[in-house]
Amino acid sequence: MTKRISLTQYLVEQQREHGHIPAQLRLLIEVVARACKRIAISVNKGALGEVLGTAGSENVQGEVQKKLDIISNEVLIEANVWGGHLAAMASEEMDTIHVVPDRYPQGEFLLLFDPLDGSSNIDVNVSIGTIFSVLRKVNNQRGVSEEDFLQPGKQQAAAGYCVYGPQTTLVLTVGRGVAVFTLDREQGSFVLTAENIQVPEDTKEFAINMSNQRHWDAPVTRYINECLAGKEGPRGKDFNMRWVASMVADVHRILTRGGVFLYPWDKREPDKPGKLRLMYEANPMAYLIEQAGGQATNGHQRIMDMVPTKLHERVSVMLGSKNEVQRVTDYHRESAS
Ligand code: AHG
């Protein structure tokens, strides 16, 4: 029988070997994984658990909240608030940060999450997920504010996501490659199923919401038109298109078999840099993709170099197979010069 390595064993062994997962970070990752198991149970129940549909409220960005958005947010907060590993949390679903109350010890980490990514897919039984990012609290004073969270993605101590699909899969980086864990439902534990995964440098698959085509700017239009031109076009090969409309599922496919994901700035709301959130979606995904040998930019610069100016900052996102991301980034540079 193949030896099964649990998430706990993986973290302990990684720490022993490389010393990069201190006790509080290990606890944090295990608690997030446990919360994801609880969210997976609610997702699986669907209509039977009365968790489908909208909650009748909006988040700080004016988006309609689904019942499962709120449930997942509460599960993550409840699970993480008392362990002593965190100073505060921030979520796509909350207006401002949630500071660990004084009755609990304050930890050295900050946790950010999109509790349930792909909300439009909840009611139609298509893969959705939880995305998380971990930062260190750099300021040593007691007390924590939003400013403590405004760190560039390259300072992340860990990042990951959990996809609730045909399988429940946790994907994690602590800065030494990307590991994949699959939930064993009988045992109730995440088991290591792939390690050091690599995104192929080239691909023939792209992911973009094509219905926004008329709103894109020139470099994105050029890149996608060349893909669509296939064998007869300048790329000399046929491309395939996939769009799940859950970033977790699209990124998971790219981590598994390569591809490029784009959610670019568009002309519908010119003042908005993009749809996706820098701190809850783009940074953690960029960290995973880079750790797997891929690349992530906003068309102009590396996503993880961007210094956020506010918690709910949005960003244009291009990530995945290195050579494709480089190409579309070059097209932006050429069009600017
Ligand atoms: P949300 O965080 O509201 O669930 O948004 C989902 C995101 C992302 O997961 C996905 O790639 C994208 O929005 C889909 O956008 P479209 O609806 O424009 O396709």
Side-chain angles (χ1 to χ4, degrees), residues 10 16 61 92 109 138 156:
Y10 172 84
R16 252 183 227 147
Q61 289 126 116
E92 188 180 304
F109 290 99
V138 273
Q156 289 172 103

Side-chain angles (χ1 to χ4, degrees), residues 7-8 26-41 75-76 79-80 82-83 85 164 170 183 188 190:
L7 174 65
T8 306
R26 191 181 106 205
L27 178 60
L28 188 163
I29 294 167
E30 294 202 77
V31 171
V32 169
R34 209 154 48 228
C36 289
K37 279 189 242 172
R38 281 188 57 194
I39 298 170
I41 291 168
V75 166
L76 279 155
N80 277 289
W82 49 270
H85 51 283
Y164 313 113
L170 179 76
L183 180 62
F190 280 106

Side-chain angles (χ1 to χ4, degrees), residues 45-112:
K45 282 189 180 148
L48 298 177
E50 297 181 8
V51 293
L52 302 185
T54 54
S57 52
E58 284 186 353
N59 65 15
V60 63
Q61 289 126 116
E63 297 158 340
V64 174
Q65 289 178 305
K66 294 283 174 68
K67 285 184 195 162
L68 267 172
D69 285 324
I70 294 178
I71 294 169
S72 308
N73 196 60
E74 279 167 6
V75 166
L76 279 155
I77 289 179
E78 241 174 68
N80 277 289
V81 78
W82 49 270
H85 51 283
L86 286 184
M89 290 172 258
S91 157
E92 188 180 304
E93 300 301 335
M94 301 191 296
D95 297 7
T96 185
I97 62 169
H98 183 104
V99 178
V100 168
D102 284 343
R103 63 182 180 279
Y104 300 121
Q106 265 223 355
E108 56 191 276
F109 290 99
L110 305 171
L111 175 65
L112 300 98

Side-chain angles (χ1 to χ4, degrees), residues 105-174:
Q106 265 223 355
E108 56 191 276
F109 290 99
L110 305 171
L111 175 65
L112 300 98
F113 45 83
D114 176 356
L116 207 61
D117 175 67
S119 313
S120 69
N121 282 326
I122 294 174
D123 295 348
V124 293
N125 199 8
V126 170
S127 296
I128 46 183
T130 298
I131 309 173
F132 65 94
S133 160
V134 182
L135 293 167
R136 280 185 193 81
K137 181 177 170 255
V138 273
N139 137 33
N140 286 330
Q141 289 144 17
R142 182 133 192 121
V144 51
S145 70
E146 272 192 29
E147 272 75 69
D148 291 298
F149 283 82
L150 305 183
Q151 305 178 32
K154 63 184 171 197
Q155 284 174 214
Q156 289 172 103
Y161 63 80
C162 186
V163 196
Y164 313 113
Q167 303 129 38
T168 294
T169 309
L170 179 76
V171 178
L172 174 73
T173 186
V174 215

Side-chain angles (χ1 to χ4, degrees), residues 204-231:
K204 291 166 131 185
E205 204 159 63
F206 67 89
I208 192 164
N209 183 341
M210 283 295 295
S211 67
N212 297 330
Q213 187 170 23
R214 68 190 186 287
H215 308 296
W216 299 336
D217 65 359
V220 174
T221 305
R222 174 182 172 196
Y223 175 75
I224 296 297
N225 282 347
E226 289 182 1
C227 294
L228 294 173
K231 268 202 191 100

